[in-house]
Amino acid sequence: MTAISDQFHLQFRALHDRAVSEQRFRGRRHSDRYLAEKASRALGTAIHDQAVGRWLKGTPPRSTSSDQVVEVVKVLSKWAGEDCDTRYWLKLLEDAQPPKDRSGSAALGLPINQIDPFKVGVRRPVSLSPAPVNDGQRRLTTYVPREHDEALRAVIAAAEGGKNRLAVLVGEVSTGKTRALWESVQALPSRWRLWHPIDSIELIEGLDTIQPHTVVWLNDAHLYLDPRDEKQSEHVAARLRRLLRQPGPLLLLGTLWSAYAHRLTSAGPTGDLIPHPQVAELLADSAASLITVPPAFTAQQLWAVRTAAKADRHLRFAHKHAEGGRIIQVLSGIPFLIQRCDQAPEAARAVIEAAFDLYRYGHGQDLPRSLLEAAAGSYLGEDQRAMIPEDWFAAALTYTEEPCRGVPGPVTPYRKQPNGAVTPTYRLAHVLQHLALYVPDRDLPSTGFWDAVATHPHTPADQVAIAREAELRGRYSHAATLYEEAAKAGHGEAWQRLVDLLEMLGHTEKATAMAQRSGDPEVARELHAFRELLTTGFTWAENMSAEAEPPQLTRLQEEIRHFEADGAHNHALELARQGIRQGEPEGFEELLRLLENSGAHEKADDLAIHSFNLPYLLDNLLSARAADDPTSLERLVRRAVDAGHPHALGELIGLMKRSGRRTEAEAIRRFGLTAEGAPAAPW
């Protein structure tokens, strides 16, 4: 930075320090997240606390962010008890801009022919030798087109013709999504540039200055449209929708795992509303294309691979070792990575499992070393800890960081941060992140895991995300602790979530005390509204239950039951699955009923437990098994509780009451479960 541009940083930092000092002296909230929320309300659009953090670290805002800067400065000035000179701050902001930005000629990104594909998410192929190989020696393999490439070519042609387009490739991990995007942009004329924003903040800041003939590269789009952060993902999606409507041509290209695509476009676990409507609208836009990438090559495509393999050793290796046409998975080194995990010694296995569960329960992909060490320790028993050396964690990291045939190991350090800041964290391997989203049944971590998150989080948002998962699973004391720690660290929504949880459990006095402690009048108002909702909600539910009539069968259900009555069980099953593919909830209901009636109880269990968007399926299954042994029913319900099913804890409490265990049931209703699943003591 020049001396002139330094002035914005120095003056902003000084004002921030004065304001925070004054707020702290008065015992008021003063976090950057709270600051961003206050400014966002005044402006009417989202300002992210990470953006404020960037300004404090010396990265000046873009000139297009002047409205955000002014509102943040106004809040800080009010906290500090000072007048706000808007013109002074706008002048500082203007002086802080690079010369090109002031002239309006700056272009985001680089010409496509200057981009290194391995820097934008394309993965290097696995080494053919177990010995370490220089990364520079492993280049892109020969590309074999598949059916999704045809759909991509149509998108590229439309962009070349002057239209704005969005294409998102959806599929499982290591199926060739990013490589397909890379191959598609090679057809664009030389005037096109490719811009790869590092995160959602940089994306938002750059959208106002983006120029025609730019490819906006959103590889791993869930990092920009984060399902955990509804406000930010909705803000990003709304801005991208507006971008598609401005003069172009512009090309937005992204990839999404199937699980994230479903989570971003489907109804929430407890209702019919889609929790991310802007994201859903973006992906359903007339200029958007969602293109499925299959996990395997067809027989015909394998012939093309075999032909190309004559001149490509990597393809020859993959063709020889791939099972079921899964060529890309072998090229990505997945079999070697899984083998490394399976053969891990105890300490390294603990690190891998801790990272796996942290990601599974909602922590962001960046894991601080202190968190990883504390969490991993909870996966080692006393006997194990007694037999491993004191430097067990360092030795474990040495194992997890070692590349597997040239691809990253299970848990590796990550030092690339926004603004060039070096804050070493660790990341779970891409394929293991993907597996963490799909593992259906896995024992919940012990108390030490939850305590580690409370003590060593990367951000307060990570604590809130994991607290929500703990709450869904009835681990209320852990959820309350995490919410409180996040609230004290400045997370704006954490106080409200904590207060609502306490009120829901009947801890009225605690809820009131926490609302007062937050120092935010809005939390107290929301608590009052929540109390009224709980009262009227119970009354409404009782009236609806009393007035409810048996539902009428839909046409799909009538057809399925007709085939079932005629003994055409397989045809009935296929009709139910067809209904599911067409988005009809009755398809799920009928499939569950057919599986249960045919004795496929395990499949019925899995369907009911993991259909979070249709939670009443679990109710239907329990009703069908009302005469079963209570012990087996409780096992089923406890599986659902540990999976995070939104109705399961209520069903568990109901089962206990009906079997005469009222004291135990009331303890769970009021205080939840321990990490191990026993009724929790009062807290």
Side-chain angles (χ1 to χ4, degrees):
M1 287 189 299
T2 67
I4 292 177
S5 63
D6 267 339
Q7 283 302 309
F8 177 86
H9 172 232
L10 294 173
Q11 295 301 324
F12 184 75
R13 181 86 210 186
L15 174 61
H16 182 274
D17 289 347
R18 294 195 301 273
V20 168
S21 178
E22 190 66 26
Q23 287 288 97
R24 188 181 291 120
F25 176 75
R26 296 177 181 177
R28 296 176 179 173
R29 296 170 65 185
H30 55 267
S31 70
D32 289 344
R33 190 178 188 98
Y34 182 59
L35 166 64
E37 287 180 353
K38 295 284 284 185
S40 297
R41 290 176 191 169
L43 184 61
T45 188
I47 302 172
H48 206 287
D49 59 307
Q50 291 181 17
V52 177
R54 287 186 176 192
W55 306 343
L56 288 169
K57 291 176 181 177
T59 300
R62 293 180 181 272
S63 57
T64 53
S65 302
S66 58
D67 289 346
Q68 297 184 13
V69 173
V70 167
E71 291 303 330
V72 170
V73 167
K74 283 181 179 179
V75 174
L76 289 174
S77 298
K78 184 177 179 180
W79 288 0
E82 303 172 5
D83 293 331
C84 178
D85 186 343
T86 301
R87 286 186 296 180
Y88 169 76
W89 285 99
L90 288 175
K91 182 65 167 65
L92 286 179
L93 178 61
E94 181 183 355
D95 290 342
Q97 302 307 308
K100 283 186 179 180
D101 198 24
R102 287 206 297 269
S103 68
S105 62
L108 294 172
L110 293 170
I112 293 174
N113 61 11
Q114 295 181 22
I115 299 287
D116 180 348
F118 301 124
K119 297 292 179 62
V120 293
V122 178
R123 303 197 179 278
R124 296 184 186 276
V126 66
S127 171
L128 302 184
S129 168
V133 175
N134 184 344
D135 280 346
Q137 297 177 8
R138 290 181 289 121
R139 301 177 180 176
L140 290 174
T141 57
T142 304
Y143 191 70
V144 178
R146 292 188 280 166
E147 58 267 28
H148 54 271
D149 293 288
E150 284 291 332
L152 260 180
R153 275 194 283 272
V155 173
I156 298 297
E160 284 187 272
K163 297 178 180 179
N164 291 344
R165 286 292 181 263
L166 163 67
V168 179
L169 297 190
V170 179
E172 308 309 329
V173 69
S174 295
T175 52
K177 301 183 295 297
T178 310
R179 177 67 188 279
L181 291 184
W182 176 254
E183 292 298 322
S184 72
V185 299
Q186 303 310 303
L188 290 169
S190 59
R191 66 179 178 275
W192 281 80
R193 303 171 71 87
L194 187 148
W195 175 49
H196 182 207
I198 194 171
D199 57 20
S200 61
I201 306 301
E202 187 173 71
L203 173 62
I204 290 294
E205 290 182 348
L207 289 182
D208 287 330
T209 59
I210 200 166
Q211 296 183 4
H213 300 103
T214 299
V215 176
V216 182
W217 189 264
L218 304 175
N219 188 50
D220 286 336
H222 67 273
L223 299 177
Y224 306 92
L225 304 170
D226 188 350
R228 303 177 311 150
D229 192 339
E230 183 177 333
K231 286 185 178 178
Q232 181 69 357
S233 66
E234 286 292 272
H235 181 49
V236 170
R239 294 295 305 275
L240 292 176
R241 290 181 67 194
R242 288 204 294 270
L243 184 68
L244 287 173
R245 284 156 177 74
Q246 75 179 46
L250 296 166
L251 183 58
L252 284 63
L253 297 178
T255 64
L256 264 180
W257 291 343
S258 302
Y260 281 125
H262 178 74
R263 192 179 302 180
L264 286 166
T265 57
S266 300
T270 57
D272 296 327
L273 295 178
I274 294 177
H276 305 277
Q278 288 286 354
V279 178
E281 289 291 339
L282 171 68
L283 298 179
D285 194 285
S286 59
S289 299
L290 255 64
I291 302 170
T292 301
V293 177
F297 284 63
T298 64
Q300 184 176 0
Q301 292 161 357
L302 285 174
W303 273 106
V305 171
R306 186 175 181 180
T307 301
K310 295 176 181 178
D312 190 314
R313 294 190 308 139
H314 282 91
L315 280 185
R316 195 155 59 245
F317 177 85
H319 187 270
K320 178 180 179 181
H321 293 90
E323 297 181 1
R326 295 177 178 265
I327 297 292
I328 308 297
Q329 291 84 339
V330 174
L331 288 174
S332 301
I334 289 180
F336 302 106
L337 179 65
I338 299 301
Q339 184 181 55
R340 171 69 58 79
C341 294
D342 290 342
Q343 296 176 352
E346 288 182 331
R349 181 180 295 275
V351 169
I352 296 169
E353 290 189 347
F356 189 91
D357 280 342
L358 283 165
Y359 191 82
R360 181 184 183 210
Y361 292 114
H363 198 287
Q365 61 179 348
D366 291 309
L367 306 173
R369 182 187 175 104
S370 58
L371 169 62
L372 194 55
E373 182 173 6
S378 68
Y379 289 76
L380 296 169
E382 291 185 10
D383 292 342
Q384 291 173 303
R385 291 293 291 268
M387 298 178 64
I388 58 178
E390 290 186 4
D391 64 345
W392 66 271
F393 184 65
L397 288 180
T398 299
Y399 183 90
T400 67
E401 292 175 19
E402 185 180 349
C404 305
R405 290 288 189 108
V407 299
V411 179
T412 53
Y414 181 80
R415 294 180 175 85
K416 182 181 180 183
Q417 299 290 330
N419 310 324
V422 180
T423 309
T425 56
Y426 288 81
R427 287 187 175 182
L428 187 67
H430 211 58
V431 65
L432 298 181
Q433 290 182 15
H434 183 265
L435 288 175
L437 301 177
Y438 284 93
V439 174
D441 290 303
R442 179 174 166 86
D443 291 342
L444 258 68
S446 67
T447 298
F449 171 89
W450 308 100
D451 290 345
V453 180
T455 311
H456 305 282
H458 187 52
T459 67
D462 293 316
Q463 289 177 313
V464 169
I466 294 186
R468 291 169 66 179
E469 296 299 318
E471 182 180 346
L472 272 175
R473 291 162 175 79
R475 272 58 181 187
Y476 294 142
S477 63
H478 296 304
T481 298
L482 289 164
Y483 282 140
E484 185 172 356
E485 290 300 318
K488 289 190 293 187
H491 192 286
E493 296 179 9
W495 282 117
Q496 195 67 62
R497 290 185 178 277
L498 173 59
V499 168
D500 288 351
L501 173 61
L502 293 171
E503 183 67 22
M504 183 187 70
L505 298 178
H507 306 318
T508 304
E509 292 183 1
K510 282 186 179 180
T512 301
M514 285 297 178
Q516 293 173 346
R517 183 179 167 191
S518 73
D520 187 347
E522 191 167 332
V523 174
R525 286 195 295 270
E526 288 289 337
L527 173 59
H528 178 72
F530 186 54
R531 282 175 176 164
E532 288 188 343
L533 178 64
L534 289 177
T535 302
T536 57
F538 286 137
T539 304
W540 176 83
E542 290 171 359
N543 293 337
M544 287 295 292
S545 178
E547 298 171 4
E549 297 181 358
Q552 297 294 317
L553 294 180
T554 65
R555 181 177 178 180
L556 174 66
Q557 289 175 306
E558 290 177 346
E559 290 182 14
I560 290 173
R561 297 188 185 200
H562 173 74
F563 283 112
E564 184 184 18
D566 288 347
H569 181 73
N570 289 338
H571 198 112
L573 280 173
E574 180 52 36
L575 199 57
R577 293 190 176 103
Q578 182 179 334
I580 291 172
R581 288 192 292 270
Q582 294 173 350
E584 298 186 49
E586 294 79 14
F588 285 94
E589 296 175 34
E590 291 301 300
L591 179 59
L592 177 70
R593 191 182 58 79
L594 290 168
L595 291 172
E596 181 67 11
N597 290 346
S598 65
H601 300 307
E602 290 185 4
K603 290 183 178 179
D605 290 352
D606 289 341
L607 179 62
I609 288 172
H610 299 295
S611 296
F612 293 164
N613 294 333
L614 299 171
Y616 60 84
L617 292 183
L618 179 62
D619 309 339
N620 293 358
L621 184 60
L622 291 173
S623 296
R625 296 187 187 174
D628 284 12
D629 171 31
T631 303
S632 64
L633 290 180
E634 183 171 333
R635 278 198 302 268
L636 169 64
V637 173
R638 282 185 175 274
R639 269 189 64 198
V641 169
D642 288 351
H645 191 289
H647 287 190
L649 196 69
E651 296 287 1
L652 177 61
I653 292 170
L655 281 175
M656 289 181 167
K657 286 182 177 179
R658 290 193 292 274
S659 62
R661 296 153 64 189
R662 290 189 169 274
T663 302
E664 200 175 350
E666 183 61 15
I668 293 174
R669 188 192 70 79
R670 293 269 293 166
F671 305 105
L673 300 165
T674 65
E676 292 71 28
W683 43 271

